[in-house]
Amino acid sequence: MKGIILAGGTGTRLKDLTKVTNKHLLPVYDKPMIYFPINTLKCADIDSILVVTDKRRTTDFLLLLGSGSDFGVRFTYALQESAKGIADALSKAKDFVNNDDVTVILGDNIIFGDIKELKEPLNKSCRIFLKKVEDPERFGIAYVKNGIITKIVEKPKQPKSNLAIIGLYQYKSNVFDIINNVKPSKRNELEITDVNKYFLDNDDIEYKIIDNDWIDAGTIESLFKANEMERKFKATDKYSY
């Protein structure tokens, strides 16, 4: 199993904070945001990690992370030339992944604690991770019936499920063939939702519901909340890292 951290994008939802830096380098209390996805992969015994970022900030990531020796992992780096979507960023990892399975995490997804399910072998070509939330209209949502995903809807206005699809995915290497056939969305991006829907339509998807504390720190409010969460957990030693 190899790991990929997608840390590109323009960070427009964080406005002035990302004018001179990549959002994944912003502080979350006592550490840079990208340390959290690194830890998630490390806890799953994944030590070969590709960081996909934008060309403006590559040097910053290299200065912060280096080879990975300080973290007990090996970092490789790849560039996403322009912000054309999560699936486009993932496509940059094809040569790195080769024929291995891969765990993909978005760099602004902060997950506290160990996710033991990441270590389980894939039974399907795609595994998505779900979290029960109070505001499902903000997220891609999975509808589950009798233990099977029946539908995936992106930010439904009147959601009938509270199972948010978090930015953590696992794939077999055939995911790159699927990305090659995905058409750009109205935003002119290659959407990871369309990739996952392909696997859903072909009965080649599974899921895990996590109980971990989790937050997508990609907005001003959620970044502030992430800082509060990390500060609280640090004070109580709820998590060891």
Side-chain angles (χ1 to χ4, degrees), residues 134-149:
E134 296 180 354
D135 49 354
E137 66 279 358
R138 291 185 53 228
F139 306 99
I141 296 298
Y143 290 76
V144 176
K145 184 177 181 180
N146 298 326
I148 297 174
I149 298 176

Side-chain angles (χ1 to χ4, degrees), residues 4-231:
I4 301 174
I5 300 174
L6 301 184
T10 57
T12 54
R13 293 183 298 170
L14 292 171
K15 298 182 179 179
D16 292 348
L17 295 181
T18 52
K19 276 189 175 180
V20 296
T21 191
N22 182 291
K23 71 175 176 180
H24 307 94
L25 300 175
L26 294 173
V28 176
Y29 188 53
D30 61 345
K31 58 178 68 69
M33 186 186 298
I34 196 170
Y35 281 24
F36 291 89
I38 291 171
N39 187 76
T40 295
L41 297 178
K42 278 187 62 179
C43 286
D45 298 328
I46 297 171
D47 60 8
S48 182
I49 299 172
L50 176 72
V51 179
V52 182
T53 186
D54 65 281
K55 59 184 178 182
R56 299 176 303 157
R57 307 300 177 203
T58 307
T59 300
D60 295 337
F61 281 95
L62 286 169
L63 286 172
L64 177 67
L65 304 179
S67 66
S69 59
D70 290 343
F71 301 85
V73 301
R74 299 184 305 278
F75 287 127
T76 305
Y77 299 88
L79 299 181
Q80 185 182 25
E81 295 292 336
S82 57
K84 292 185 177 180
I86 294 172
D88 176 73
L90 176 54
S91 72
K92 311 307 178 187
K94 182 177 181 179
D95 291 339
F96 170 78
V97 172
N98 199 4
N99 293 318
D100 294 325
D101 295 342
V102 62
T103 296
V104 182
I105 186 168
L106 306 190
D108 59 3
N109 268 239
I110 296 177
I111 303 168
F112 296 91
D114 186 2
I115 302 178
K116 60 183 182 301
E117 292 87 353
L118 285 175
K119 300 178 184 179
E120 297 179 7
L122 284 169
N123 298 310
K124 302 276 189 176
S125 291
C126 169
R127 176 187 289 156
I128 61 176
F129 289 81
L130 310 177
K131 173 72 176 176
K132 293 179 181 178
V133 297
E134 296 180 354
D135 49 354
E137 66 279 358
R138 291 185 53 228
F139 306 99
I141 296 298
Y143 290 76
V144 176
K145 184 177 181 180
N146 298 326
I148 297 174
I149 298 176
T150 60
K151 186 166 57 173
I152 292 173
V153 181
E154 186 66 26
K155 297 180 180 178
K157 293 181 179 179
Q158 296 181 317
K160 296 180 180 179
S161 167
N162 67 344
L163 292 173
I165 303 170
I166 70 172
L168 179 65
Y169 320 92
Q170 291 184 304
Y171 300 104
K172 292 187 180 296
S173 59
N174 62 340
V175 66
F176 299 103
D177 296 327
I178 310 308
I179 293 174
N180 286 339
N181 292 303
V182 169
K183 298 188 183 327
S185 65
K186 293 180 180 179
R187 302 189 298 174
N188 196 33
E189 295 184 1
L190 299 184
E191 308 286 356
I192 199 67
T193 297
D194 291 335
V195 174
N196 294 335
K197 282 183 176 179
Y198 174 89
F199 289 116
L200 173 62
D201 292 342
N202 288 273
D203 190 28
D204 203 11
I205 191 171
E206 59 184 317
Y207 71 93
K208 298 289 183 180
I209 300 175
I210 68 167
D211 294 323
N212 303 62
D213 292 291
W214 161 79
I215 189 167
D216 170 355
T219 68
I220 293 292
E221 285 300 316
S222 62
L223 177 61
F224 178 76
K225 185 176 180 181
N227 275 269
E228 290 187 315
M229 292 170 69
E230 169 66 0
R231 181 175 184 271

